[in-house]
Every structure is written in C-alpha cells, then in structure tokens.
Amino acid sequence: MRAGKTYRMGRIFGADGRTLILPVDHGLTFGRVEGLEDPVARVDELLDLPCDALLMAPGLTRMTADRFARRDAPARILTLDTFFRLPGEQEAGAGLAASVEQAARLGVDCVKLFMAWNVPSRERSETLARIAEVVRRAEEFDLPVMLEPIAVGEERTPEAIAVEGDGARSAMEVGADIIKIAYPGPELMAAWSAELRLPLVILGGPRTGEADAVLTLAEESVEHGARGIVIGRNVWQRPPDVARRLMQRLHEIVHG
Amino acid sequence: MRAGKTYRMGRIFGADGRTLILPVDHGLTFGRVEGLEDPVARVDELLDLPCDALLMAPGLTRMTADRFARRDAPARILTLDTFFRLPGEQEAGAGLAASVEQAARLGVDCVKLFMAWNVPSRERSETLARIAEVVRRAEEFDLPVMLEPIAVGEERTPEAIAVEGDGARSAMEVGADIIKIAYPGPELMAAWSAELRLPLVILGGPRTGEADAVLTLAEESVEHGARGIVIGRNVWQRPPDVARRLMQRLHEIVHG
Amino acid sequence: MRAGKTYRMGRIFGADGRTLILPVDHGLTFGRVEGLEDPVARVDELLDLPCDALLMAPGLTRMTADRFARRDAPARILTLDTFFRLPGEQEAGAGLAASVEQAARLGVDCVKLFMAWNVPSRERSETLARIAEVVRRAEEFDLPVMLEPIAVGEERTPEAIAVEGDGARSAMEVGADIIKIAYPGPELMAAWSAELRLPLVILGGPRTGEADAVLTLAEESVEHGARGIVIGRNVWQRPPDVARRLMQRLHEIVHG
Amino acid sequence: MRAGKTYRMGRIFGADGRTLILPVDHGLTFGRVEGLEDPVARVDELLDLPCDALLMAPGLTRMTADRFARRDAPARILTLDTFFRLPGEQEAGAGLAASVEQAARLGVDCVKLFMAWNVPSRERSETLARIAEVVRRAEEFDLPVMLEPIAVGEERTPEAIAVEGDGARSAMEVGADIIKIAYPGPELMAAWSAELRLPLVILGGPRTGEADAVLTLAEESVEHGARGIVIGRNVWQRPPDVARRLMQRLHEIVHG
Amino acid sequence: MRAGKTYRMGRIFGADGRTLILPVDHGLTFGRVEGLEDPVARVDELLDLPCDALLMAPGLTRMTADRFARRDAPARILTLDTFFRLPGEQEAGAGLAASVEQAARLGVDCVKLFMAWNVPSRERSETLARIAEVVRRAEEFDLPVMLEPIAVGEERTPEAIAVEGDGARSAMEVGADIIKIAYPGPELMAAWSAELRLPLVILGGPRTGEADAVLTLAEESVEHGARGIVIGRNVWQRPPDVARRLMQRLHEIVHG
C-alpha cells in the first residue's frame, strides 16, 4: 500500500486494526434529523466519548476543524455524495456533493460514497462510473475510499442481503479500501470478511427499539470478522447517559 | 476563515454582524418585473437609501460598476443561476447563468445560488452537484457562497417550512457561507440560527398587502436570530416615499 | 468598456451609434432559403449597397473573407448557434454550431446567439447556461455578444411581445452587448430602449406583403429608440431594383 | 486556404480538381457487409484499379497503412462517426467513433462525418454541435472535413431531395470542405455545385440492378458539376471483372 | 505495431501466437459469483495451473499484484467496464468502471471492454463513442484493447451469431487489437479469423453440462482459427481435480 494510504488507514483503524466510527453526516441528505439538529454541539458532546473516527459532510467538517486540530483527535471521513428517493418515485437522484480536492484540502483521512444497489441497471452503471472517477482522483492523493453498498428501503430478506453482498463485491472490484455494510448475519459476515480481504465496517441504521440491541449487533459483527462499527442514530438519538454508556460498551466490544 | 473570505464577509455584514440587502436580480429569471423595469435607474434611487449590499445578476452588475467604484459603496452579491417552472410543468429548469470566474472578474463580494427543494430527487441531486462545483471553484477565490433553499410556490404550511429547514441543513453541509431563507416563525428562526452557525438572512418575497408587515417581519426575524434581511419587491414595488421610509426603518431594525 | 469591445462596437455602430445590418445567416438553420440559394453571389450584390454589418454563419464568413479584407468593408457578426422546431414537435433542438475561438480566428466583430423564449423551463435554463458559457469565453477575447430573444412562431399578441420583453431582460442580465428583437410597438420600443441601456436592433422577419412596410417599420423603430435594424429577407427576397431602393432608404432612415 | 489544407485537398482532387473515391468504411456501422467480408483483401484488389482516394474507418486504415506507405498511393479519408437506426425505432443513435487526433496520427488527408437530416430537431442540433466541435479541432490540424447530409431510408421524392439540399447548405455553413451527397438530378446538381462553391462528390448508394446505371449516374453528375463520385457497393459487390471495367470507365468519366 | 504494443501482445500470446486466458473478472458486474466467492484464493489456486493471462477487474488486480510481481507470471488483462440488464428492463446500463490511466499505473498488459450489440441504436452509438475514447487514450500508452461483442442473453440462432459477427467487424474498425467472441461454428470461425486479421479469442460462457464439452469447444475453435480461449466458469465452477485436468488439457489444445 502506498505511504499516504498506509498512514491514513492507520489513523482510522489504530493498532488493533479495529475502529469505532460515529456517523454525523446525515444532514447533507436528510436535512434536520432528530438528534442532530445542532450538529456542532452534537460533535462537541460526542468528542467526550471514546471514538476512532467521525463521518461528516463538508460543512460540518469545516465548522468543526478546530476541534480536531490536535494530534490525538479522532480521524475524519468525508461524505462526498447524496442519494435521494422520495416515496413513490420511479427514479432516484444520486450525485457528488463534494470533490476529492476538497477532501484533500480539508485534511480528512478518507472519503465515503454511497452505492444504492437495488436500483435499475442504468443507475447502477452511473453509480460505478461516478465512483470510479473518484477512485482515480483519490489515488492521486493516496486517499482511502469507503464504499457503502445498500439495498435501500428493503426488508432484511435473504434476497436483499444477497444484493448487498453482490454490491460489496462490486465495491471491492471498483476500488474500495473500506466497505461499510449492513450486518448480514454471522455466516455471511464471516464469509464476506474472509473473501473481500478488505476491512468491513457495520452500519447501525435507524434507531431500533432496544438500546442493547446495538451492543448485540456490534458483538456479533466483530465476533464474526467485522473490523469496526459505524453507529450514529442508535447512539445520539438516545438520552445522553444512555448514549455515553453505549459508546463506552461499543468501544470495549470493538477494542476490548 | 481564509483572509479573502474574512474580508468579503466583513464588507457584507459590517461591524455589528448584521446586514440589510436589497435584491434587484429578478430580471435574469423573471424578466421585466414591475417596479424593476429600469433596473439601473432603480439602483440609482436605491443607492440613496441606507443599504449594506445589493443582490444583482451579471448584466446589471456590469452596467452599474461605476456607481460602486468608491470605497464606501455597498457590497455586491452576484446571482449565478436561474430556476424556471412554468404553470403545469412536471419538470423545472435550473442551471448556471454565470461563473465564479466572472464573479471574481467583476469584483463582487459573494455569489448566490438558488436551491429549489420541493423538487424530485433527481433535481435535488443535480442541484447539489451544481452547487458543489461552484463551491469548489469559489474556494479557490476565497469567495463566500450564499445559498437559498426554497419550497417553491407552496403555502407556508409546517410541512413546507420543514422542507426548507431540511434544505438549509443541506445548504450548510454542501458549503454555504450565508443562507437566505423564508422566515419560519420565531421558534424555528431561533433554532436554525443557533444550529446552523451560519448567518441567516431572511427574504421578503412578493409584495404583501401591508407595507408595515415587512417591518414586523424584519423585527421578528432579527429578534429571533436573523443576521439580516433581503427585501426587494416589498420595498421598490411601493411608492418612493413609502420605499424610503421602509428602508430607513429596516435599517434601524437591522442595525439599531 | 474594455478596449477590444470598444473597438468592435465602434465598427458595428459607427459614429452616430446607429447600424444597418444585413442578415444572410439563414442557411445554417433553414438550408436553401429562397433568395439566398447562392449566398456568396448574394453577398457580392449586397456589398454594393449601403450597409454597416453583415450577419453570417461560419461557412459563408470563411468563403467571403476576401471580400471583407479591406479597411472600409462592413463589419461581420458571426451566428454561433441553431434552433430547430419541426411542425408538431414537442421538443425543440438548439445548440452551438461554432465556437468563440473560431469567431476570434475569423476576425469577426461580434458573435450572435438565439434565445427561443416561448419554450419549456428546461430549455430556457439550458439556453441560458449555453449562452453564459459563450459570454464567459467571449469576455476573454473582448468580443461583443448579440442575443436574440424570440417567441418562436407565435402571433404578435401582447402576451407574445411580453414574453420577448422578459427574454430581452434576461438577455441583458446574462451579458448581452446588443439585443436583436422584434419591433414591439412604439411605447414598448421606447421603454425597452431606455430601460435596457443596450443598443436594440430590430429584426425584419419573413417577407411581408408590402415592400414599404419595411420602411415604416424602420422609421418607427428608430424614431422610438432602436439603434439599428437587421433586415434580410424583406430586402433580398425582392427584385434587385426594389432591394437597392429599400437599402438606400433604410440607410437614410437609420443614419439620416 | 491554409497550407495544410491546400496540400491535402490537392492530394484528394488532383490536378484536374476531380476525384474518384472508393468507400470501404461500411464495416464500422453495418458490420460484415456482403462483398466486404474481408476488407483488407478487398482493399488489396481495389488498389490495382484506378482510384484517387479510399474512404475507410480507423481499423482498416490502421491495418492497411503499409499499402499506402508510398508516394503515389491514393489518398485516405477517415470516417469518424456512426449512424444507427434499427427498423421501427423512434430514436436513432449517432456519435463519434474516432477523433481528429487519431486522424492526424494516422496521417489521413480528410475526415468524414455523417449528417442524417430527416431526423427530429433535437438530433439535428446535436449532430451540428458534434460536427462543429470536430471542425474546430480539424482546423487546428489543417484537416479537410467531408460532410454527408442524407435523408436516411427515404424514397427519392422531391421533398427528400430538398431536405438533402437544406442539409448541404447547413453542411457548408458549419464548415464543410467537401460535401458528399446523393445525386439530386441535373438541374439541382448544377445549382448546388454553383451555389455551395465547395466540391460536391456523389455517392453511389446500394447496388442497383444495372451495372451500367452507375456509369450513367457518374456521367450525369460530372456533366452537371459534381467534382467526383464515391461509389463502393455498386463496384465491389459485383464480379471482379465487372468491378474492374466499372472502375476503369468511372475513371475515364471523372478524369477523361 | 508500436514498441509498447508489440511487447505487451507478446506477453499475452507468447511465441506460438496462442493464448489460454482465465477470466476472473465477474465480481465487478455479477457480484458474488458461485465459485468465485473468494477471488484471491481462487487466483492463488489457478496460478498453479498452466495459463497465459488472467482477466481481472481493478480491485482483484490490485489485491493480487504481489502474486504477479515476478518475471514468469501470467499476463494480466484489466476489465474497464460493466454491463447491467435486469430481467424485464427496457434500458440496459453500461459504463466505465476504471480508466486507462489506472491500467497503466497497475502495469497490466491489456484493457478489455464489453460491446453489447443486440441493443437499441442509441446504446450502440454510445458504446462505440465510449470505446473510441478509451482506444484514443490507450494509444497514448501503447496499451492493447480487447473488445467483446455479444448478443446478450440470446439463444445461439444464426441471427444472433450474425449480430455478433457484425459487432466483431465494428470492433475491428473502432480499433480492437484482440476480439473476444462466442464460438460461431467452424465455417464462421475460419471466416472471421481470416477476415478480421486480428487474434480472436473464444469465450466459454456459463458452465455447460458436460466438462468435456469445453474441450470440444476449444479444439474446434483453435482448429478453425481461434488464437486462444477465455474459459472461466466452465473451469473454476467445477471440482478442483476436474478444473486442473481441464486446464491441462486446454493448455495442450491451445499450445500443443
């Protein structure tokens, strides 16, 4: 691996090769999300909690630059794109909202792109072409690329999970350095981790009923090969004391 | 903030961090608007009134350059794009009508883009991609970017206001330096100002029945956190004496 | 105004600020037009008549370059684009057919673009984006830009004229140096001339029944503020002697 | 005319300003055409026959480069684009399949583009925009451009011929140096040759019943002003001895 | 042929001008394909078998670079694009997923593109335009280009085979150095090999019932002019011992 990428991957995954990532990038696509109404204040709170990296969009990254201007701050991953699909729409909308140059200028350690995979063929090929161009530019800056293949808005059926598995393979082939994916269950988790030979990080998704369900998810994921978890709404959409406890436990699960 | 941006933001917002902006950019998109039939003459009249900045399209900016060629002239904000949607159309039309290079050449202090947010997903993603490219170029010139998220042609329902709140968050995340938005009522005005941590300036919109309604709007907005107001038709679509009185009162409200 | 533009505008409008322009650019879009079957021969005839500038497409400009290779030749304005809309079509076709670089290489004094304004919103925004890019490039060469806003194929109702008035304002705002437009009647002619503060030149359109109708059109236009006329088919689609008389009278009307 | 263009036009048209062109470029668009199954072998046979230039697509041009690597070889014209329209399709497909840079690298004397003119307005404007960009690039290399306006798949009615006449004029205006067109009959042949002031070369089209019909076509065309003929299938889709005789007669007709 | 291309073609085809290529690039388009769930492990197994080149997508190429970092390793061919068409879709999706620059950086010996040919005219012309641009860039790096014309998802009727024959000719004309195609039967195999004058390599396609059917396919193909075979699923979707035997026999057939 080239020097710049080695350096940045080390900042994200640390010595044990595991990472606990806090996503607070929802505003770019979803707007004023509950629990993230004041993203800067949220980041300030979260910075008290154990965490290896934050996932942010360009605006929040710029506004919080001073918080990270110290050697022991968490790493930062920049969200580069959006995906919109309103209820009842035939055609989704996806595209870049930032550039690799801006990422390099901001000094982040990684760029992240979305990969909606339960979409028409034309959207699939446009998505890969857009990602491929970002990968090409990112190579020039030694910037790692995180890709997130998702069957958007579908139930967790075996078919939907298989679509995401196919997306994960396409993501690996188009040049992902890290793959962010929904937990596919123990067997596939172990299989994909071994097969893709890239660090897989598991997303938490919308807040689930039980706070502790997140811990079970994290334990199972890590136990079966996940290199990290990316859990946001299930943490910061809960009361501060619950959120604090969750992050501490998640940190133990990931790094313990 | 980089030096060029600090300088330009200071020219727009002044010492007290507040601004009274006069928009006269309607011609680019709306053509020969009532009260703005002769935009140069209108600018000459308006320049007698207290005002911190004018919002203009490229042609008018070029034609009135000499009026601003003095050290104590108001700042100038350049409108870069258009948004058309004729009655009964399914698909709107939006695109650039000027470039960041032209803005830099004209010496303006800021560029402004529209962000229609009650549109299909494809138009949303195209709008963000277009804005993101302008933001990238503007960074190279240290030019501030003003974004205007709007639920076009909708009644002021809580849903419409929420759409604009989501648009404002997306605007912040894609890289806005200033957000121009419709007044969302006292609670949300205070909330958004605190949350977005960017100067919000409130638009006046079409002329309303009562002249004084504008003053109430301005007072409420500023009282609840607005950093300025952008009122055009409600001023220059009224008789000169009314317009003068309104501007003087607005100036007192904003800066008093 | 920058030096190159001052020089070229002076070549088109002369000392009295008025101009008589002969359009012979129809072939690019309309093909083998009656009266212009042999455009080079036509140009040779027309060059005997009093005329300040010719409007031509790239091919004819190239073929007749030697005729203009003298210091007292008329100026040349290059048509850069096309607009097609066949009977019964929902969607028109518009686009560039030449570049600013070619214009600069050919040494013409101005470039001219069409602006169909009674079109869907998407076509409007695409047209402005295309024009804006040409304006940006033309600025680099100090080349004046002539824009022609038209309600294509409509009767001369007040509504159609108002659409063209809106288009003229948009044309001014996107960066026109000269606006070519259909005569809107005395009041609007006077109003637009005063308001737009750009030279307006009036088009003759298809041949009308009476030859002298053209003279009336020219007289009225100039009397109410037009800075010139652009009359082609109404001249060269008539017998040579009639055409000669018309041009001589038009020259007197414009410059007398 | 610039030096490079003068040189290349001279190589195509020779001293008497006439040319006999053999088109063997059908494979790019039509695939494995009868009589051209083995294009290299076909070229080798044809090179024994009198001929001024061959029209070829990039692959065949590259494969036969050695055959033309001598001072007295025929000139080569490179086909740059394709036009597809399958039975029953509403929308045709057209686009570039090679670049001016490749043409310059291959050392050909001219580039050739297709101009389907009985198409919707949008396709017309896209075709002209694509051609205009090629013309702009070709100017930088002094490369002549041949354009071929066609009413695709229509009977030879006066209306269809008029459409091609309009296309020929548009071709001249967008910057053609040579126009390839279907024979429009004696009067129009004479008229277009005089009016367009560009060398017109006549295409042979699909094989007709009678071999000698080609000779009549060539005689009439040249008699009425054609500067050359471009006949392929009517030659090489016939038996070798017939093809040889035809070429010899065609050469006499064109140059005799 | 230019030096860089001579060198790379020699690495693919060897001294006898024949090649046995193993495709393992399926993940990019098809995702987690049976038998290729763990592509790196699969490559490691396959590297024990006789083979001249592997066809891989960018991710796998990057991950296995060290395996090929020796002078006697097989050559590598990089898949640059994708083609998606889900059941029931009218419109397919095709596009680039990597660039010629990435290929040059990775040090591969060839780039490969797909050419779906039983598609609407618009898709055909877009495919050729996309390929032509890759050909132009590849020329700058002396990189050979392999094209694969296919009648996707059709039965092997004479019509479907003829469509692929037409595609093969278009592939040759747009600039292919190698053509990958389905076996068209003995007569056409011999004919196309002679006519196209490019090395044709035959694809194996989905696993067929009988393992030995592959050997018959290879024998027939090579006997009638194929310069190589590209067989993947029919090898690595079978038990290891069967796969080993098949590869050894295929190597004998191709090089014996």
Side-chain angles (χ1 to χ4, degrees), chain A residues 107-125:
Chain A
V108 298
D109 295 301
C110 184
V111 294
K112 181 263 181 186
L113 293 126
F114 197 72
M115 205 169 131
W117 216 236
N118 57 335
V119 294
S121 291
R122 189 179 52 71
E123 294 182 27
R124 270 193 180 189
S125 56

Side-chain angles (χ1 to χ4, degrees), chain E residues 6-69:
Chain E
T6 302
Y7 168 75
R8 293 183 172 94
M9 290 293 275
R11 285 178 47 80
I12 296 168
F13 286 95
D16 65 357
R18 301 272 191 77
T19 190
L20 171 57
I21 299 173
L22 254 170
V24 285
D25 65 329
H26 305 65
L28 177 61
T29 296
F30 298 111
R32 192 169 180 252
V33 174
E34 175 200 349
L36 206 61
E37 293 86 354
D38 187 343
V40 175
R42 177 62 71 196
V43 166
D44 285 336
E45 294 164 20
L46 297 170
L47 282 175
D48 292 340
L49 305 177
C51 163
D52 299 299
L54 274 76
L55 178 61
M56 297 188 284
L60 187 55
T61 305
R62 198 173 67 169
M63 282 184 179
T64 57
D66 58 333
R67 276 77 166 176
F68 295 84

Side-chain angles (χ1 to χ4, degrees), chain C residues 60-76:
Chain C
L60 186 55
T61 306
R62 198 173 66 169
M63 283 185 177
T64 57
D66 58 334
R67 275 77 167 177
F68 296 83
R70 50 189 175 84
R71 277 194 297 284
D72 63 348
R76 296 171 305 162

